[in-house]
């Protein structure tokens, strides 16, 4: 038996072509797209603007199955984590971080990661494979399903609610307002699939999460940074973590290929950054490794001229991790110095540590065959 092609992850033109090749008229694509991405419909029978024979024909030819959920955990702070099982059995994690008036979904781009950053749990798992665009996008769709975060279908005779998230005090419509490519994997090592998924997420007649509410984090795959800015225009986050090449070579090994100077040059030239949209520099606080005042001063010197915000991340431990988190007082002093130099330097409150859902704690048991 051959698998039916899955429609999730096709861009609008591809969806149109797929439907037309199965004998549907062109205008159907718009209807199906809207069911999939505005309403989050997960079976063809619920596509009620299509007549029954059309729905049956769709089901005959195509699938809209999402990955399965192998495990689900909820942290005491409200953070939720899902372990998702792809059609081939590989698994990745995806995390929802709710805040007062918004919520971010942290999405994975690869099964495992090849970058081997020393402080990262995912980095201890080898790269198994890239996720497809559909698998990247499905993480958001599954989270929306679980959080009941799809808009209510308009009822007959009842005026549609304004489309803005949170309108009418409707809490359920703002669970996922932001998307961060900060889960497992290096997104710029799987750029084409990530870009395709993000374009679908940004499509105004679908999910419609705009580029200003999407952040892509990279360990520093320099040649892809510019393309990402030109083509997607999303917010950029850089996993800097060290201010000398000597140390960064060890902590973030991709630095041996693309050293700090080249990385920061790409940041200076990032097309989608400016005074109103700053680049986030992530800096994990590792006790006695990268947390001295000299490091803080050098950080300020390095970032001169870049519209930047520095996110200090207390190190999140994992079983067997070779580091300790800096003391609170040290983090505070480090942040104060950076702040006094004119850079916002919030300390990222660890979320979901109790369920191993915090930054750098994600891992799945999937192995490279
Ligand atoms: N792979 C991408 C995105 C992922 S992770 C990247 O590396 O940029 C999100 C952030 O968490 C990155 O800055 C990553 O370096 C950081 N991180 C990894 N392990 C961590 C840990 N154990 N504690 C705190 N932050 C960690
Ligand atoms: Fe990969 Fe990011 Fe972890 Fe580095 S920090 S190993 S790039 S997931």
């Amino acid at each position: 038996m051959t698998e039916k092609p899955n429609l999730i992850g096709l861009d609008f033109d591809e969806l149109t072509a797929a439907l037309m090749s199965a004998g549907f008229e062109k205008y159907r694509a718009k209807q199906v797209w809207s069911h999939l991405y505005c309403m989050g419909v997960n079976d063809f029978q619920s596509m009620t603007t299509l007549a029954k024979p059309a729905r049956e024909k769709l089901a005959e030819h195509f699938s809209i199955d999402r990955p399965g959920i192998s495990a689900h955990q909820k942290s005491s702070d409200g953070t939720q984590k899902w372990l998702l099982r792809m059609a081939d059995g590989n698994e990745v994690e995806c995390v929802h971080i709710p805040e007062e008036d918004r919520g971010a979904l942290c999405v994975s781009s690869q099964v495992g990661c090849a970058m081997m950053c020393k402080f990262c749990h995912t980095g201890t798992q080898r790269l198994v494979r890239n996720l497809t665009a559909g698998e990247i996008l499905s993480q958001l769709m599954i989270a929306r399903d679980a959080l009941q975060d799809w808009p209510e279908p308009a009822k007959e005779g009842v005026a549609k609610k304004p489309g803005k998230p949170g309108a009418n005090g409707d809490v359920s419509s703002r669970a996922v307002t932001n998307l961060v490519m900060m889960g497992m994997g290096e997104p710029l090592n799987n750029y084409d699939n990530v870009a395709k998924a993000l374009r679908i997420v940004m499509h105004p007649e679908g999910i419609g999460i705009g580029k200003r509410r999407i952040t892509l984090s990279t360990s520093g795959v320099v040649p892809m940074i510019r393309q990402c800015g030109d083509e997607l225009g999303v917010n950029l986050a850089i996993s800097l973590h060290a201010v000398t090449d000597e140390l960064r070579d060890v902590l973030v090994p991709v630095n041996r290929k693309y050293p700090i100077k080249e990385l920061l040059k790409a940041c200076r030239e990032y097309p989608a950054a400016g005074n109103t949209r700053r680049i986030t520099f992530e800096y994990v606080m590792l006790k006695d490794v990268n947390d001295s005042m000299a490091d803080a001063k050098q950080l300020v010197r390095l970032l001169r001229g870049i519209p930047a915000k520095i996110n200090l991340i207390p190190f999140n431990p994992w079983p067997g991790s070779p580091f300790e988190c800096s003391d609170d007082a040290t983090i505070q002093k480090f942040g104060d110095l950076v702040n006094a130099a004119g850079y916002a330097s919030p300390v990222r409150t660890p979320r979901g540590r109790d369920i191993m859902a915090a930054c750098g704690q994600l891992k799945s048991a999937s192995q490279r065959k």
Side-chain angles (χ1 to χ4, degrees):
M1 205 179 81
T2 51
E3 292 266 319
K4 293 176 195 168
N6 198 316
L7 296 179
I8 295 173
L10 301 185
D11 64 30
F12 188 78
D13 290 345
E14 290 168 342
L15 177 72
T16 309
L19 295 182
M20 287 174 76
S21 75
F24 287 94
E25 287 168 277
K26 195 172 176 193
Y27 77 93
R28 291 287 184 195
K30 223 172 167 165
Q31 283 179 313
V32 171
W33 182 270
S34 157
H35 277 293
L36 289 177
Y37 300 125
C38 293
M39 291 167 242
V41 158
N42 58 13
D43 70 290
F44 288 111
Q45 286 320 312
S46 309
M47 297 193 168
T48 47
T49 59
L50 284 90
K52 198 147 183 261
R55 289 184 242 158
E56 273 159 13
K57 189 167 149 193
L58 278 172
E60 236 166 72
H61 286 90
F62 303 109
S63 139
I64 48 171
D65 289 347
R66 299 156 158 45
I69 299 176
S70 299
H72 168 239
Q73 285 172 285
K74 190 163 182 178
S75 159
S76 54
D77 68 19
T79 300
Q80 299 191 57
K81 182 172 86 168
W82 293 271
L83 177 65
L84 305 179
R85 194 180 49 255
M86 309 296 137
D88 68 354
N90 279 309
E91 294 179 315
V92 292
E93 297 193 304
C94 155
V95 177
H96 178 248
I97 307 128
E99 281 170 48
E100 196 112 305
D101 55 350
R102 53 184 223 161
L105 192 75
C106 179
V107 168
S108 293
S109 55
Q110 299 181 308
V111 183
C113 185
M115 300 314 244
M116 301 203 298
C117 303
K118 288 283 175 307
F119 44 83
C120 174
H121 204 198
T122 312
T124 66
Q125 179 183 2
R126 289 179 56 196
L127 175 68
V128 178
R129 69 167 172 87
N130 285 332
L131 294 179
T132 64
E135 289 166 340
I136 295 166
L137 177 64
S138 291
Q139 297 171 56
L140 185 143
M141 301 181 71
I142 285 176
R144 283 234 153 126
D145 294 345
L147 298 163
Q148 300 187 308
D149 193 35
W150 295 104
E152 292 278 327
K155 291 190 188 79
E156 250 176 85
V158 179
K160 238 186 138 188
K161 285 181 192 168
K164 254 172 74 185
N168 299 347
D170 181 6
V171 177
S172 66
S173 68
R174 60 186 187 217
V176 181
T177 56
N178 292 58
L179 195 132
V180 294
M181 293 303 307
M182 295 191 184
M184 296 165 59
E186 166 51 60
L188 294 187
N189 280 353
N190 184 19
Y191 177 77
D192 290 344
N193 291 328
V194 167
K196 193 169 174 195
L198 291 183
R199 283 198 193 96
I200 296 171
V201 167
M202 293 190 277
H203 197 288
E205 277 146 61
I207 293 168
I209 296 181
K211 60 185 179 186
R212 286 163 197 276
R213 291 195 278 134
I214 298 176
T215 301
L216 182 145
S217 174
T218 178
S219 57
V221 184
V222 168
M224 298 309 297
I225 290 178
R226 178 161 204 122
Q227 194 176 347
C228 173
D230 279 336
E231 294 181 354
L232 302 174
V234 296
N235 302 317
L236 181 67
I238 300 286
S239 294
L240 189 63
H241 307 314
V243 293
T244 63
D245 283 324
E246 201 188 354
L247 180 61
R248 198 165 188 273
D249 280 351
V250 177
L251 295 180
V252 187
V254 69
N255 195 70
R256 292 177 212 154
K257 208 162 169 192
Y258 309 114
I260 292 174
K261 201 169 160 211
E262 286 178 32
L263 176 60
L264 295 182
K265 181 169 180 280
C267 291
R268 285 200 170 83
E269 295 166 356
Y270 191 67
N275 279 334
T276 55
R277 286 178 82 197
R278 289 169 296 174
I279 295 175
T280 302
F281 288 86
E282 297 157 288
Y283 197 92
V284 62
M285 298 300 294
L286 304 171
K287 186 174 187 153
D288 299 333
V289 174
N290 65 355
D291 62 354
S292 71
M293 286 302 107
D295 288 315
K297 280 181 197 149
Q298 177 62 10
L299 178 60
V300 168
R301 234 173 275 140
L302 281 178
L303 297 185
R304 196 165 292 151
I306 302 178
K309 170 178 135 183
I310 293 115
N311 222 323
L312 300 177
I313 315 178
F315 170 67
N316 293 307
W318 35 270
S321 56
F323 298 104
E324 273 180 71
C325 183
S326 310
D327 313 320
D328 288 349
T330 308
I331 300 178
Q332 183 74 41
K333 258 174 56 192
F334 194 103
D336 287 348
L337 191 150
V338 174
N339 202 258
Y343 292 103
S345 56
V347 178
R348 192 183 285 175
T349 320
R351 299 289 301 267
R353 264 187 182 172
D354 55 341
I355 56 165
M356 291 286 288
C359 298
Q361 292 185 312
L362 305 184
K363 185 173 178 176
S364 72
S366 299
Q367 302 273 321
R368 195 183 190 119
K369 298 254 162 52

